[in-house]
Amino acid sequence: MRKTLLESLTHGPLTEAEPAPDETGLAELAQSVNRAARAKLGRSLSIREVDAGSCNGCELEIHALSNAFYDLERLGLRFVASPRHADVLLVTGPVTKNMREALLRTYNAMPDPKWVVAVGACAADGGIFAGSYAVAGGVKDVLPVDLHIPGCPPNPKALLAGLLALLQTAA
Ligand code: SF4
């Protein structure tokens, strides 16, 4: 025990150094999303997020978009509490049987035009939860999906790139 304590005091942490932040690239991406939203909708983009049964790994990355580092509200991208104010429905996780109805009601409460974005491997086809007695399937088995952002989980930059691709291609 004493040896371990001494080693921990004399050696640095054994974890890898964190990657350097790409602030310029991130800011450009966020501004592109905001510009595309204003061109498409005439205003900024409002997002309603629904966890349909995820492990919360995807939520951690989505929440990071609102933290002090990414701080996306400064660029006009915002998460809203009501589906009636949302343009995009961001869905994570497999759709569990318990959440299927709530997800459908959320989608039906959104005004047109509206888009559905499935986030993460589980949202695509159930991922590691596919085949469970509690799972109804991927998001596409319940709602019309406009875009899938792959990853387990996708990081904030991948989420932004996905939203930009959606706005540039959505009819
Ligand atoms: S894609 Fe990965 S992080 Fe996201 S809900 Fe599924 S297992 Fe969790």
Side-chain angles (χ1 to χ4, degrees):
M1 184 64 180
R2 184 180 296 172
K3 183 169 169 265
T4 307
L5 281 172
L6 279 172
E7 276 178 1
S8 68
L9 289 172
T10 54
H11 293 86
L14 296 177
T15 51
E16 291 176 17
E18 74 278 10
D22 179 11
E23 291 188 48
T24 312
L26 189 70
E28 278 175 14
L29 196 52
Q31 277 164 355
S32 299
V33 172
N34 195 27
R35 266 198 303 275
R38 287 185 186 280
K40 183 74 67 182
L41 302 167
R43 54 181 167 72
S44 54
L45 192 72
S46 298
I47 303 166
R48 176 78 173 104
E49 197 258 328
V50 170
D51 171 355
S54 94
C55 74
N56 279 357
C58 284
E59 271 64 39
L60 288 174
E61 300 299 317
I62 290 170
H63 290 172
L65 289 170
S66 302
N67 69 18
F69 178 75
Y70 293 101
D71 190 19
L72 288 187
E73 288 222 5
R74 73 198 147 110
L75 296 163
L77 201 90
R78 63 197 178 120
F79 288 93
V80 290
S82 167
R84 298 190 194 284
H85 302 154
D87 309 301
V88 172
L89 179 57
L90 211 59
V91 189
T92 62
V95 182
T96 58
K97 289 179 180 166
N98 282 350
M99 279 300 292
R100 188 176 186 281
E101 180 65 26
L103 185 61
L104 277 168
R105 285 192 197 186
T106 302
Y107 177 77
N108 290 333
M110 290 171 65
D112 289 320
K114 56 188 171 186
W115 299 284
V116 177
V117 177
V119 173
C122 296
D125 57 6
I128 56 172
F129 304 107
S132 162
Y133 69 91
V135 167
V139 181
K140 67 179 182 314
D141 298 315
V142 179
L143 295 177
V145 172
D146 298 286
L147 178 79
H148 171 237
I149 302 176
C152 182
N155 62 31
K157 207 167 172 183
L159 293 168
L160 269 181
L163 289 172
L164 180 60
L166 174 79
L167 286 166
Q168 287 175 339
T169 57

